[in-house]
């Protein structure tokens, strides 16, 4: 891009013009479009996975699974559109005879916000990138999308963008409903977020990137919502009785969870808290032994591996932090080496620097004096995407205060499991209080992700002929609606 400002201006004008047509298209036609993208991704799967393998260093099996997940997401949104009730229609019919004042006819539904800028994520080249959940949710909402391709997988991004364009053509969708923008430099992202035609932003990545985009948006004459999903250390609270009997099983599970995809998941368990007893010491030995057997693997890109080395080195030199496991002593360049460290709860609580994410195969075990100190940690941590408790039923019931502290700071609470592996289903919440995200009310996984890109609009005294189909008294779409305070079709 030679003249970024002029180029972005043209892109956003085209996107807005497409939005004006696309928003009027029926739910069924939008659903055909999303299904068409999924079908194209399936047809081109082998070629897409091959190019993504070369660009991301992720293994083929992982990328094939992610490609499938991306199609599944698109189809969940298309099913939602065909069913139709997601618009949350409410109808209150007029009561002209009401005293002392007549009641007007008022109807409300969700409508699309406008052009949405989506930033592709480096660690999910399919599921959170070009045709990923942010794009699928925005298109389902009726928004046009301008996709900022992630520079770590430019060929994958362009190949997927081409398939989206073909699917749009096949389904009769305006050409510029989806526009792909690439090229190096933060300036492009900044211009996109600050452009007056942009009405919302979806982002997954670093805290610094997500917060910078949020700040650009708030500085605009017309501020807009930015849905940034940023860092999280996903604390895991190990209750002592469970560790006595389940230490080996838990160590096995966590060695996999910490190192899967070289630890490059936003739900990676970066912090494990236990009570300083023999059972915790045993667990640390078991987990160290497991991690030492896992070979290092190449990380997504040079910037991510540099950041991993730097942040881990910073963490390891903090007061009281001891390195307990590293799978190899000589680190190959750009490889992530599984690493485990420990620290006392006193040192952890006194050092907020240890509360930050080290993105990669790293975890810190905090040794608390007792459950009370464990709860103090839960109460002092910033917002998280997930928090996990491992305990026997009796222990979990006994320590309700700890569970409540955990719940107040997380978007998802897991009992007796691992935080990695985010099921894509309507009941999943993938979000959490700041700094995990910039808006804890919304999810970036599951069909609820559409709610980020709509706004409610009330229609007062509209005649049947001018109302959108979703709000007509005759209910031609046969969708569930709240009609005079009664839920019905
Ligand atoms: P990133 O640095 O956050 O970048 C993601 C996208 O945002 C890129 O397209 C980047 O632009 C853009 N961007 C970042 N800062 C910007 C700014 N100030 N103004 C305008 N645009 C900006 O993510 P990354 O490159 O994937 O990885 C870097 C670090 O992010 C990792 O080491 C890790 O700590 C974290 N990360 C976290 C997650 C998570 O799920 N929480 C996922 C991936 C990465 P350019 O295209 O110009 O670079």
């Amino acid at each position: 891009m030679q003249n970024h400002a002029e180029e972005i201006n043209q892109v956003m004008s085209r996107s807005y013009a497409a939005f004006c047509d696309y928003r009027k298209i029926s739910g069924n036609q939008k659903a055909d479009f999303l299904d068409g993208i999924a079908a194209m991704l399936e047809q081109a799967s082998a070629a897409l996975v091959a190019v993504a393998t070369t660009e991301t260093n992720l293994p083929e099996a992982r990328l094939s699974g992610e490609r499938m997940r991306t199609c599944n997401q698109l189809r969940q949104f298309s099913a939602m559109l065909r069913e139709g009730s997601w618009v949350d229609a409410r109808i209150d019919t007029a009561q002209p005879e009401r005293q002392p004042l007549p009641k007007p006819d008022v109807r409300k539904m969700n409508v699309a916000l406008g052009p949405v800028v989506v930033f592709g994520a480096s660690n999910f080249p399919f599921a959170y990138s070009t045709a990923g959940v942010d794009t699928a949710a925005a298109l389902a909402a009726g928004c046009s999308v301008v996709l900022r391709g992630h520079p770590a997988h430019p060929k994958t991004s362009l190949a997927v963008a081409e398939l989206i364009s073909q699917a749009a053509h096949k389904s009769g969708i305006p050409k510029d409903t989806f526009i792909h923008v690439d090229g190096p430099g933060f300036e492009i992202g900044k211009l996109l977020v600050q452009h007056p035609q942009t009405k919302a932003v979806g982002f997954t990545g670093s805290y610094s990137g997500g917060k910078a985009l949020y700040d650009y948006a708030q500085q605009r004459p017309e501020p807009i919502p930015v849905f940034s999903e940023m860092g999280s250390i996903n604390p895991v609270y190990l209750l002592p009785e469970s560790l006595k009997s389940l230490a080996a099983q838990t160590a096995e599970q966590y060695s996999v969870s910490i190192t899967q995809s070289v630890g490059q998941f936003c739900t990676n368990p970066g912090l494990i808290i236990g009570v300083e007893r023999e059972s915790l010491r045993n667990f640390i030995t078991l987990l160290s032994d497991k991690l030492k057997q896992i070979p290092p693997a190449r990380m997504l890109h040079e910037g991510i591996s540099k950041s991993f080395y730097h942040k881990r080195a910073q963490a390891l030199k903090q007061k009281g932090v001891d390195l307990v496991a590293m799978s190899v002593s000589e680190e190959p360049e750009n490889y992530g080496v599984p690493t485990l460290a420990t620290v006392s709860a006193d040192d952890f609580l006194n050092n907020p620097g240890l509360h930050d994410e080290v993105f990669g195969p790293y975890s810190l075990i905090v040794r608390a004096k007792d459950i009370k100190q464990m709860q103090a940690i839960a109460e002092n941590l910033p917002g998280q995407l997930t928090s996990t408790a491992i305990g026997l039923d009796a222990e979990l019931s006994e320590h309700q205060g700890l569970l409540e502290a955990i719940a107040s700071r997380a978007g998802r609470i897991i009992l007796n499991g691992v935080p990695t592996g985010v099921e894509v289903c309507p009941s999943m919440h993938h979000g959490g209080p700041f700094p995990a995200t910039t808006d804890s009310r919304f999810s970036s996984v599951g069909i609820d992700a559409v709610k980020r890109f709509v706004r409610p609009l009330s229609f007062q005294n509209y005649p049947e002929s001018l109302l959108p189909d979703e709000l007509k008294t005759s209910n031609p779409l046969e969708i569930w609606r709240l009609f005079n305070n009664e839920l019905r079709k």
Side-chain angles (χ1 to χ4, degrees):
M1 283 199 183
Q2 285 305 309
N3 181 344
H4 290 326
E6 184 43 40
E7 192 110 14
I8 295 302
N9 201 21
Q10 284 172 19
V11 163
M12 292 314 308
S13 301
R14 283 164 50 208
S15 183
Y16 179 71
F19 164 69
C20 293
D21 294 332
Y22 182 65
R23 68 177 160 187
K24 292 183 224 145
I25 281 171
S26 73
N28 279 336
Q29 198 180 343
K30 288 188 194 109
D32 287 345
F33 176 34
L34 298 187
D35 284 342
I37 300 171
M40 294 272 184
L41 291 176
E42 265 164 6
Q43 277 163 26
S45 182
L48 290 174
V49 169
V51 67
T53 310
T54 60
E55 288 190 312
T56 63
N57 302 315
L58 292 170
E60 195 185 315
R62 149 73 208 273
L63 288 166
S64 296
E66 194 188 319
R67 198 278 302 147
M68 274 188 261
R69 171 182 168 167
T70 310
C71 295
N72 175 23
Q73 288 171 174
L74 285 156
R75 291 190 172 116
Q76 288 191 13
F77 283 109
S78 71
M80 177 198 83
L81 288 171
R82 289 187 207 287
E83 194 279 331
S85 309
W86 71 278
V87 296
D88 207 8
R90 278 121 206 277
I91 296 173
D92 293 292
T93 51
Q95 292 173 12
E97 313 304 331
R98 192 183 69 173
Q99 291 299 328
L101 288 172
K103 182 182 176 189
D105 184 286
V106 187
R107 299 167 189 235
K108 179 167 84 166
M109 65 178 275
N110 287 328
V111 298
L113 280 182
V116 172
V117 170
V118 173
F119 286 76
S122 60
N123 58 340
F124 278 92
F126 296 123
Y128 284 89
S129 286
T130 321
V133 62
D134 288 351
T135 296
L139 292 175
C143 299
S144 53
V145 169
V146 174
L147 189 287
R148 167 81 176 109
H150 196 288
H153 52 255
K155 290 183 193 153
T156 311
S157 196
L158 270 176
V160 173
E162 175 55 32
L163 297 175
I164 297 174
S165 297
Q166 287 176 28
H169 181 68
K170 230 171 149 175
S171 322
I173 298 295
K175 183 173 158 293
D176 289 331
T177 299
F178 178 90
I179 301 176
H180 187 270
V181 174
D182 53 16
F186 285 177
E187 197 199 342
I188 296 172
K190 183 175 182 181
L191 287 165
L192 284 169
V193 174
Q194 292 195 324
H195 196 279
Q197 300 290 23
T198 302
K199 294 297 173 236
V201 177
F203 170 91
T204 300
S206 62
Y207 172 79
S208 57
K211 180 66 165 52
L213 301 186
Y214 179 84
D215 291 342
Y216 300 151
Q218 303 321 305
Q219 288 153 9
R220 294 167 38 127
E222 177 202 349
I224 52 167
V226 173
F227 302 101
S228 292
E229 193 250 87
M230 305 178 288
S232 189
I233 52 174
N234 305 295
V236 179
Y237 299 85
L238 300 175
L239 294 174
E241 288 307 310
S242 137
L243 258 203
K244 279 188 197 161
S245 50
L246 296 173
Q249 183 188 317
T250 309
E252 170 69 38
Q253 273 184 317
Y254 273 83
S255 65
V256 175
S257 183
I258 292 166
T259 57
Q260 246 176 343
S261 288
V262 210
Q264 298 164 117
F265 284 138
C266 48
T267 51
N268 203 48
L271 186 71
I272 301 174
I273 307 109
V275 177
E276 175 97 72
R277 287 187 193 164
E278 185 52 36
S279 57
L280 182 65
R281 285 189 282 276
N282 178 40
F283 172 76
I284 294 173
T285 306
L286 290 167
L287 182 56
S288 304
D289 290 347
K290 290 271 169 209
L291 288 176
K292 283 177 190 163
Q293 289 165 28
I294 298 174
R298 208 176 251 283
M299 299 191 81
L300 285 163
H301 62 78
E302 200 189 329
I304 287 213
S305 57
K306 279 200 172 131
S307 161
F308 174 59
Y309 301 149
H310 174 70
K311 288 188 176 157
R312 187 188 51 183
Q314 285 293 111
L316 291 177
K317 70 179 183 209
Q318 298 302 307
K319 179 171 171 273
V321 176
D322 292 319
L323 174 68
V324 289
M326 230 169 135
S327 72
V328 291
S329 50
E330 298 254 323
E331 261 178 321
E333 210 174 321
N334 299 334
Y335 277 59
V337 178
T339 309
L340 188 69
T342 77
V343 68
S344 72
D346 285 340
D347 283 332
F348 180 79
L349 282 165
N350 286 327
N351 187 349
L354 287 173
H355 307 180
D356 293 340
E357 184 184 37
V358 178
F359 193 72
Y362 169 85
S363 199
L364 177 67
I365 299 190
V366 178
R367 306 179 314 269
K369 286 185 205 124
D370 48 28
I371 299 280
K372 207 170 146 219
Q373 200 176 26
M374 214 183 219
Q375 188 166 329
I377 291 174
E379 283 162 0
N380 276 283
L381 282 178
Q384 303 291 332
L385 293 171
T386 76
S387 287
T388 304
I390 310 265
L392 305 179
D393 286 356
E395 286 180 295
L396 293 167
S397 306
E398 195 187 329
H399 301 299
Q400 290 289 328
L402 175 65
L403 292 186
E404 282 162 22
I406 291 173
S408 70
R409 276 160 186 77
R412 175 167 59 112
I413 318 167
I414 300 128
L415 294 185
N416 295 320
V418 291
T420 43
V422 182
E423 184 67 33
V424 179
C425 58
S427 50
M428 177 53 69
H429 183 74
H430 189 65
F434 185 86
T437 75
T438 46
D439 196 332
S440 64
R441 295 168 298 170
F442 297 95
S443 176
S444 61
V445 168
I447 51 173
D448 275 350
V450 75
K451 291 181 183 163
R452 297 172 301 165
F453 304 124
V454 293
R455 65 184 175 88
L457 177 62
S458 285
F459 298 77
Q460 191 164 329
N461 293 338
Y462 258 55
E464 181 86 350
S465 60
L466 291 182
L467 280 165
D469 282 352
E470 289 85 347
L471 295 179
K472 286 189 188 343
T473 302
S474 59
N475 197 7
L477 301 175
E478 297 182 8
I479 59 173
W480 285 101
R481 310 181 301 182
L482 193 66
F483 196 99
N484 288 334
N485 289 317
E486 191 191 320
L487 193 62
R488 60 167 143 128
K489 279 203 178 189

